[in-house]
Amino acid sequence: MADEAEVKVEHEEGLTRIVIDRPKALNALTSGVIEGLVSAFEGLSQDTRVVIVTGAGDKAFVAGADIKEMSAFEAEDGRRFSLALHRLGDLMEAVDVPVIAAVNGYALGGGCELLLACDFAIASEKASFGLPEVGLGVMPGFGGTTRLTRRVGEARARQMVFTGKPIDAVEAFRIGLVNEVVGHDELGDRVAAVAAQIRRNAPLSIAYAKRSLRHGAESDLKSANAFEAQTFGLCFATKDQKEGMTAFIEKRAPQWTGE
C-alpha cells in the first residue's frame, strides 16, 4: 500500500511539488512509493500548471529501487514491478503540464529512469547519474533501455547500460541527459524560476505542445507533422489564443483563462 508520508505533494499558485521523502534510504523506490507517485499524478490539482519532482534531503534525487524489496522477487514479481513503474512513467508523460526533475543528488537506476519520464531535468553540480542494474544481475526496467536511447542516443545509452558506470552532472549535461547544471544551493531557485516562466504562458498552448512533442517522438515525420498541424489549428478555437494575440497587439500582459 502507498505510504503517504513517503510521497509528499505541495501545491501553491499553479505549481505542484512532488517529493519522494525517504532521505534515510536515499529516496529509494518501493512498491508503496511507486503507488504514492501514481496517486500524486492521478490527483493533480486542476489548476496545476507545472510539476516539479525531487527527492528529500541533500544527497539523493532517487538512488534507485529498493534492493531489499527486490531481492525476494521471482520472475512474475519483477514483471509486475516493472509494469507498475511503466504505468507511472506513462502518467507523467500523459499529463498536460510540464514535469521538471530537480535532481539534487544521486539519480541511479530507477532514479535516473524517473527523471527520463519527466519532460526535462535541471541538476545540482553534485548530482550523479547511472544505470547500475547489470551489476546486480538484472537490467533497467523503467525506461532505461527505451527512454534513455531517445534522450541521449543509442550508442551512449548502450555504454551507460552495459557498463553500469555512473557519470557526473557535467557529463550528464554534455550528453543531453539534463538541460542545466547549477550550483547545489541554487537548484531550488533555478527550477522555481523556470517553472514561473512556464506559468506565464498559455496553459492550453503548453498542453497542446506537450501532446504534439510526445506524438512526434513516437511517430514518423509525416504523421508527426500532420498531428502538429491539427493541434496548431485547435489553438485557434481557444479563448486564450484570442486573448494572447489581442494582448500582443495592445502591448499588455495577457490574462489566461485556460479556455
Side-chain angles (χ1 to χ4, degrees):
M1 296 298 292
D3 186 340
E4 293 182 2
E6 293 182 338
V7 177
K8 293 184 176 178
V9 179
E10 305 162 354
H11 180 77
E12 183 179 2
E13 296 182 352
L15 175 64
T16 297
R17 285 174 50 86
I18 299 176
V19 182
I20 298 97
D21 191 16
R22 303 185 71 219
K24 291 183 179 179
L26 298 179
N27 302 318
L29 298 174
T30 62
S31 296
V33 169
I34 295 164
E35 187 178 339
L37 288 168
V38 168
S39 296
F41 276 96
E42 287 182 332
L44 285 177
S45 171
Q46 290 188 345
D47 68 334
T48 294
R49 299 280 301 281
V50 183
V51 176
I52 296 172
V53 177
T54 194
D58 206 38
K59 293 183 178 179
F61 174 68
V62 170
D66 193 292
I67 304 301
K68 290 182 180 179
E69 179 182 8
M70 289 196 300
S71 65
F73 282 1
E74 300 293 340
E76 181 59 21
D77 300 316
R79 187 184 75 88
R80 284 197 297 263
F81 191 70
S82 179
L83 288 174
L85 286 162
H86 282 298
R87 180 189 174 203
L88 169 61
D90 289 344
L91 276 171
M92 294 170 66
E93 291 182 336
V95 294
D96 276 340
V97 297
V99 180
I100 307 172
V103 186
N104 52 318
Y106 297 117
L108 304 174
C112 187
E113 293 168 300
L114 181 66
L115 80 83
L116 288 168
C118 297
D119 289 292
F120 60 91
I122 299 175
S124 155
E125 62 190 352
K126 294 183 179 181
S128 60
F129 309 80
L131 295 164
E133 288 90 341
V134 294
L136 297 168
V138 291
M139 58 169 273
F142 179 22
T145 65
T146 54
R147 291 189 181 93
L148 182 63
T149 298
R150 290 164 168 79
R151 183 74 63 94
V152 304
E154 187 174 334
R156 287 194 177 100
R158 288 175 184 268
Q159 183 175 359
M160 288 184 68
V161 171
F162 293 159
T163 65
K165 182 180 178 180
I167 61 174
D168 62 19
V170 172
E171 179 66 4
F173 173 73
R174 188 185 74 82
I175 66 175
L177 183 58
V178 302
N179 284 36
E180 299 181 31
V181 177
V182 299
H184 189 70
D185 294 336
E186 300 168 7
L187 179 63
D189 288 342
R190 177 55 186 156
V191 175
V194 173
Q197 186 174 12
I198 291 170
R199 296 202 307 277
R200 286 195 288 270
N201 297 316
L204 279 177
S205 297
I206 296 289
Y208 289 157
K210 180 169 177 175
R211 293 177 197 177
S212 188
L213 284 161
R214 185 180 186 188
H215 185 89
E218 298 173 350
S219 308
D220 62 89
L221 184 59
K222 184 176 181 179
S223 173
N225 284 338
F227 186 88
E228 182 185 69
Q230 179 181 14
T231 312
F232 177 72
L234 290 176
C235 293
F236 291 85
T238 68
K239 293 180 180 178
D240 277 353
Q241 175 269 325
K242 304 298 186 291
E243 167 63 11
M245 294 190 176
T246 299
F248 178 84
I249 294 168
E250 295 177 353
K251 298 182 180 180
R252 60 174 175 80
Q255 301 295 316
W256 309 119
T257 63
E259 299 178 82

